[in-house]
Amino acid sequence: GSRDTGGNVLARVLEPLASKTGGQSAEVKAAVLDDPEVLGSSLDIVGAYLKNYEIDRAAAVLETVLPSCRRRGGLWLFKALNHLACVRMKQARPQEALETLQELEANAAAHLTSVEDNDEAWEFWETMYRNFGWVLNSLGKDEEAVGYIQRAIDVKERVGRPPTWFDLWDLGRIKATTALKRQSPASIKESQATITKALWLHKDVEPRDLVMRAKIWHSVGECSFALGHMAEEASVGREALINSPNGPCKSEEAKGHYRKALKCFKESHKLFKTTEGVHNPLTGTESQGVAWALLKLGEEEEAKDFLLDAVEALSRQQNGWGDGSRLDAEAPALGQAMQTVDRILDAHRRSGDREGLERYFKALDRLCANVCGRLQLSKERVDASVYEKLVSSCSMIMVASNVEQGMAKSQELLRKYLWQSPGTPQAQLCSELLLSLQNGEGGAAPGAEQGPGMKAFMQALAERKGQPAPP
């Protein structure tokens, strides 16, 4: 669900106005929002919030003005529904986004009845079909997604517009997803060639659009990483790769692909950092990719700065949490957070750097707070085990740091964020060991560091096997 970081923005502004005019709040709000200038400005504000990844505020404003847009209908409703689909996609709620697009398509078909009307509105149809493609791809319906992207291209060709770099990028990345599911390296290479062509075309046509260029670089890198992953699996076996998803790669063929992926991810990260800032969600996601590629290549030291940036970005992130109020809905950002924290442990364990773990403490606490503020936490959640692993891994980082107050901070984090009687072995170990220690204000009980419980804890930290492979 959307987090209340400002609440229902327009509604809050209108409350004082209602009291001063003596009118009912709902009536005053409806009257104000019936003004075309106010309504139009509100929709523009939603667009600006979306562009800057202020998803909470975009959702709050949109939910306020949507009833007025429904009453007006026509283009007002078209624009509102298009924004709503974008909000739901960024919130990682693709099924609701699909339903919104279906409503938008039905309304548009009812208003645009002639061939001339549809040709004149080709940009509207192109955007809507492209959004359908993205949503269906998120739902795993890749063939349908490719069909909608092709419809977007067909709409343009009907009015004499040739396919663009955007079309090549869209088709390439969605076909790459399908090829990965089929475990087809040849098809991934073919898709990567299409995306690379889109990259150079975009650079020529839109030389100043650095954000889009960064997105395309990321797609090229994803193809190389997927090829590396498949080559590594062929070398060591699926089970070994699942048990050690972040481990350094030994296959020379796979290393070659990972190096190419790293080059692409670094280029993307540099562009995002320049344009969006270091802790923007786009930059943070790229930090995750760079760090993972570095770990696969055995470059733990270089990975650490990127891992810190990734955690900092996730601790601020508003998008990707799904419908937090639903217990049966997964939160993609929660999985990313758990994988990032796992990589921190792996990087520092492999490099023997315990003291360096302290630099993550504040960001990890903010990360757990962000998760708790966005999800309805319950053992009944479908991804409850992922949450337990996240919190317990954050706790392990603190206690493994071997710095003063590390144990106390670990205990405090567990008390704040981990429920009683967790179900996963790692969380059970943390809970039983750390919450049983005395002197929680200042550290562990005397001798606890050498006791059998701590030795078992540190052995678990050293081994940490059996974690699921990241998607």
Side-chain angles (χ1 to χ4, degrees), residues 313-363:
L314 283 161
S315 74
R316 297 163 167 80
Q317 187 167 309
Q318 298 179 17
N319 59 300
W321 297 102
D323 184 348
S325 63
R326 286 180 53 188
L327 300 181
D328 62 343
E330 292 185 353
L334 178 62
Q336 293 173 15
M338 185 268 287
Q339 291 161 8
T340 300
V341 173
D342 274 358
R343 289 169 194 151
I344 291 171
L345 280 164
D346 282 340
H348 284 259
R349 175 179 56 81
R350 279 155 48 178
S351 61
D353 178 14
R354 295 179 66 177
E355 286 75 13
L357 290 167
E358 186 179 9
R359 68 196 298 215
Y360 304 97
F361 284 10
K362 291 181 180 178

Side-chain angles (χ1 to χ4, degrees), residues 7 69 94 160 176 199 251 256 280 289 332 380 447-448 463:
C69 292
L199 176 65
S251 161
N280 179 275
E380 304 304 315
E463 295 177 358

Side-chain angles (χ1 to χ4, degrees), residues 51 70 73 90 107 113 265 293 316 368 377-378 399 417 443 468:
K51 185 176 181 181
R70 288 193 182 283
K90 289 184 184 295
N107 274 277
T113 55
F265 290 156
R316 297 163 167 80
C368 292
L377 295 174
S378 166
V399 74
Y417 301 118

Side-chain angles (χ1 to χ4, degrees), residues 78 82 104-105 108-109 112 121-129:
F78 292 0
N82 186 59
L104 176 59
E105 184 179 30
L112 303 171
W122 68 269
E123 289 176 293
F124 165 80
W125 288 109
E126 181 205 11
T127 299
M128 188 182 68
Y129 289 148

Side-chain angles (χ1 to χ4, degrees), residues 446-457:
E449 295 87 345
Q450 303 303 321
M454 180 57 73
K455 288 179 179 177
F457 182 92

Side-chain angles (χ1 to χ4, degrees), residues 244-273:
S244 182
N246 307 315
C249 174
K250 295 181 175 62
S251 161
E252 289 302 321
E253 180 188 355
K255 283 182 182 179
H257 291 305
Y258 286 137
R259 289 190 192 99
K260 290 179 182 178
L262 178 60
K263 178 183 176 182
C264 296
F265 290 156
K266 279 189 169 181
E267 185 64 28
S268 179
H269 180 271
K270 180 178 70 176
L271 293 170
F272 280 138
K273 186 176 180 179

Side-chain angles (χ1 to χ4, degrees), residues 115-403:
V115 174
E116 292 77 12
D117 286 344
N118 283 289
D119 284 351
E120 189 175 337
W122 68 269
E123 289 176 293
F124 165 80
W125 288 109
E126 181 205 11
T127 299
M128 188 182 68
Y129 289 148
R130 195 180 304 284
N131 288 341
F132 262 113
W134 293 352
V135 169
L136 290 165
N137 183 232
S138 294
L139 290 168
K141 300 178 179 181
D142 300 328
E143 295 300 328
E144 289 182 62
V146 170
Y148 268 99
I149 298 301
Q150 188 60 54
R151 287 175 74 176
I153 295 172
D154 294 343
V155 163
K156 289 197 296 188
E157 289 184 333
R158 195 172 66 233
V159 294
R161 307 259 177 174
T164 64
W165 59 265
F166 207 120
D167 301 314
L168 293 174
W169 175 59
D170 253 356
L171 282 175
R173 66 191 186 86
I174 292 177
K175 286 183 177 179
T177 302
T178 305
L180 179 59
K181 290 178 180 177
R182 297 200 317 266
Q183 293 286 289
S184 172
S187 296
I188 291 178
K189 290 177 182 177
E190 183 181 328
S191 298
Q192 187 177 41
T194 301
I195 299 168
T196 303
K197 183 178 179 181
L199 176 65
W200 303 131
L201 281 174
H202 174 265
K203 191 173 182 179
D204 291 338
V205 176
E206 303 283 355
R208 296 183 179 179
D209 185 2
L210 301 183
V211 173
M212 194 66 238
R213 194 184 308 169
K215 291 180 179 180
I216 305 175
W217 269 116
H218 176 78
S219 296
V220 177
E222 281 187 316
C223 291
S224 288
F225 199 97
L227 290 168
H229 198 270
M230 283 190 285
E232 188 177 9
E233 184 178 316
S235 173
V236 302
R238 181 172 178 78
E239 185 175 353
L241 196 53
I242 289 175
N243 287 339
S244 182
N246 307 315
C249 174
K250 295 181 175 62
S251 161
E252 289 302 321
E253 180 188 355
K255 283 182 182 179
H257 291 305
Y258 286 137
R259 289 190 192 99
K260 290 179 182 178
L262 178 60
K263 178 183 176 182
C264 296
F265 290 156
K266 279 189 169 181
E267 185 64 28
S268 179
H269 180 271
K270 180 178 70 176
L271 293 170
F272 280 138
K273 186 176 180 179
T274 299
T275 57
E276 306 299 299
V278 67
H279 296 145
N280 179 275
L282 293 170
T283 317
T285 298
E286 218 55 46
S287 294
Q288 295 175 39
V290 173
W292 196 9
L294 285 167
L295 288 176
K296 299 306 295 181
L297 293 168
E299 301 289 344
E300 293 86 8
E301 289 300 331
E302 189 179 352
K304 292 173 186 176
D305 285 342
F306 289 100
L307 288 167
L308 178 59
D309 287 344
V311 173
E312 290 282 8
L314 283 161
S315 74
R316 297 163 167 80
Q317 187 167 309
Q318 298 179 17
N319 59 300
W321 297 102
D323 184 348
S325 63
R326 286 180 53 188
L327 300 181
D328 62 343
E330 292 185 353
L334 178 62
Q336 293 173 15
M338 185 268 287
Q339 291 161 8
T340 300
V341 173
D342 274 358
R343 289 169 194 151
I344 291 171
L345 280 164
D346 282 340
H348 284 259
R349 175 179 56 81
R350 279 155 48 178
S351 61
D353 178 14
R354 295 179 66 177
E355 286 75 13
L357 290 167
E358 186 179 9
R359 68 196 298 215
Y360 304 97
F361 284 10
K362 291 181 180 178
L364 292 174
D365 190 73
R366 286 196 301 270
L367 172 60
C368 292
N370 194 29
V371 172
C372 290
R374 295 186 178 281
L375 304 179
Q376 181 183 338
L377 295 174
S378 166
K379 291 182 183 179
E380 304 304 315
R381 278 192 67 89
V382 67
D383 50 8
S385 63
V386 178
Y387 175 75
E388 288 188 1
K389 289 174 184 174
L390 168 66
V391 176
S392 56
S393 291
C394 289
S395 168
M396 290 172 81
I397 286 175
M398 293 175 177
V399 74
S401 67
N402 203 32
V403 298

